[in-house]
Amino acid sequence: LMQLFRPLDLLGWVYRTIRQGLIDMAQMFRLIDTPVEVSDVPGAPALVVRRPTVVFDNVVFGYEDDRNILHGLSLEVPAGGHVAIVGPSGAGKSTIGRLLFRFYDPQSGRILIDGQDIAQVTQESLRSAIGIVPQDSVLFNDTIGYNIGYGREHADAAAIEQAARDAAILPFIQSLPTGFDTEVGERGLKLSGGEKQRVAIARTLLKDPPILLLDEATSALDTRTEQEITGTLRRVSQDRTSIAIAHRLSTIADADTIFVLEAGRLAESGSHTQLLRQGGLYAEMWARQANERLQKVAE
Ligand code: ATP
């Protein structure tokens, strides 16, 4: 009988692995576009993260040979620091995330995590060190417990509950008649944008990565939900290094350092107050967005 079960077991494992791979890819959709194959160097060691610093050292990168997108970009994120990357559309913000996840290698320059060149370590270890909270989270047609638990293999019920608590979605789940067993997704309960994002946060918390990449984390939500989610993200980012790729400046004003990117170059960097005082590109973007907010209120 065991002989009959073993292939079924294997089939189940293959199915789960593929499914997990697919949702990873779907989640990355905004970050990846068309991934080019990068491969591990022979005998590459695993990334060892003790102090999760992130350094871009003179990075030159283009998707095509004849058009560079990043022109010698250098920036440093200290361990435990919270930084944001802002800039006009097409400046190269998402590209920075894709390079950090090593979907592509730079043409020249290096990207270092805790002093290790990410091109020299295994992709698996690199990707398990980085958690992504994407703007639009994808849910499986499965239970809400499954959707959270998939963040870590063999997560038990207690760990899933704790992650839900930390992501501030536990009271919502407990209010459902079947709790964590509630089916969600297209064929089940439809979750709001904010709830979906909290599921993504809980998932990431289970993964427990030292580095967080927040991809336009709050741009699709109403102001109140946006503020609540920003608060949750602030809490969960506390002991981690976080990099927020942001469109809306209102959510990242309290970042330690804001890197302002313009056409693949660092135009300016500093805290919100410093940048406003400087009266450059950031101050201009801030004024424009404040104006837009005022107009919305007036409408
Ligand atoms: P947005 O705020 O609009 O999302 P962004 O600052 O995140 O913009 P990126 O997505 O990093 O910008 O894109 C930077 C440049 O790289 C753009 O000119 C874009 O057209 C180009 N680009 C992005 N992805 C690819 C790709 N897969 N192949 C070729 N060019 C690409």
Side-chain angles (χ1 to χ4, degrees):
L1 197 64
M2 276 317 286
Q3 268 170 356
L4 185 70
F5 274 122
R6 219 162 273 144
L8 284 180
D9 237 27
L10 181 68
L11 209 62
W13 177 82
V14 169
Y15 171 69
R16 281 191 302 275
T17 308
I18 291 176
R19 196 155 92 147
Q20 186 150 334
L22 282 179
I23 197 145
D24 274 339
M25 293 321 277
Q27 292 238 345
M28 293 306 143
F29 191 69
R30 276 201 70 258
L31 282 172
I32 51 173
D33 291 351
T34 23
V36 176
E37 283 293 312
V38 293
S39 44
D40 289 353
V41 295
L47 174 74
V48 181
V49 186
R50 292 194 190 90
R51 301 190 68 255
T53 52
V54 176
V55 172
F56 276 63
D57 175 21
N58 208 9
V59 171
V60 175
F61 173 74
Y63 294 92
E64 291 128 14
D65 288 341
D66 52 354
R67 188 163 83 100
N68 278 349
I69 302 297
L70 301 180
H71 309 274
L73 181 75
S74 294
L75 52 87
E76 271 189 56
V77 188
H82 305 307
V83 307
I85 297 168
V86 304
S89 182
K93 302 182 294 292
S94 303
T95 301
I96 291 177
R98 292 179 198 129
L99 290 175
L100 183 61
F101 225 67
R102 207 179 160 221
F103 284 123
Y104 303 93
D105 283 327
Q107 266 83 22
S108 66
R110 295 182 312 161
I111 301 166
L112 309 165
I113 292 181
D114 198 353
Q116 299 146 79
D117 186 339
I118 63 167
Q120 303 298 322
V121 299
T122 62
Q123 292 167 73
E124 197 197 350
S125 63
L126 170 69
R127 290 175 190 173
S128 70
I130 304 169
I132 298 193
V133 181
Q135 177 180 10
D136 300 307
S137 304
V138 183
L139 295 184
F140 297 119
N141 292 317
D142 206 309
T143 66
I144 195 161
Y146 178 88
N147 271 283
I148 294 176
Y150 127 92
R152 185 172 75 209
E153 230 177 316
H154 311 304
D156 61 21
I160 291 174
E161 191 175 316
Q162 186 58 43
R165 183 177 294 117
D166 292 341
I169 194 175
L170 187 60
F172 167 77
I173 296 172
Q174 285 172 335
S175 75
L176 301 168
T178 45
F180 280 95
D181 295 329
T182 309
E183 294 281 329
V184 295
E186 274 160 37
R187 277 179 270 125
L189 181 70
K190 299 258 190 300
L191 299 185
S192 73
E195 287 153 3
K196 274 201 273 186
Q197 201 152 28
R198 288 188 188 283
V199 170
I201 295 172
R203 219 180 245 171
T204 307
L205 285 174
L206 265 186
K207 186 175 166 183
D208 197 21
I211 297 166
L212 282 182
L213 190 57
L214 312 173
D215 181 30
E216 309 234 43
T218 57
S219 60
L221 307 169
D222 64 75
T223 314
R224 196 171 138 227
T225 315
E226 175 189 293
Q227 279 167 359
E228 285 170 7
I229 299 265
T230 306
T232 307
L233 284 174
R234 199 165 294 149
R235 265 203 327 280
V236 307
S237 305
Q238 223 154 44
D239 300 320
R240 302 167 212 268
T241 304
S242 75
I243 301 173
I245 295 171
H247 255 311
R248 298 217 282 183
L249 306 182
S250 54
T251 56
I252 50 94
D254 67 343
D256 306 333
T257 305
I258 299 167
F259 295 105
V260 186
L261 213 63
E262 189 180 25
R265 289 193 169 83
L266 198 60
E268 49 193 20
S269 65
S271 70
H272 173 73
T273 333
Q274 285 166 344
L275 289 172
L276 281 191
R277 215 173 287 143
Q278 218 163 296
L281 181 59
Y282 182 84
E284 207 177 284
M285 287 166 65
W286 180 261
R288 197 173 332 118
Q289 293 202 2
N291 233 337
E292 281 166 12
R293 279 200 297 276
L294 275 178
Q295 267 168 12
K296 260 196 209 135
V297 174
E299 271 165 18

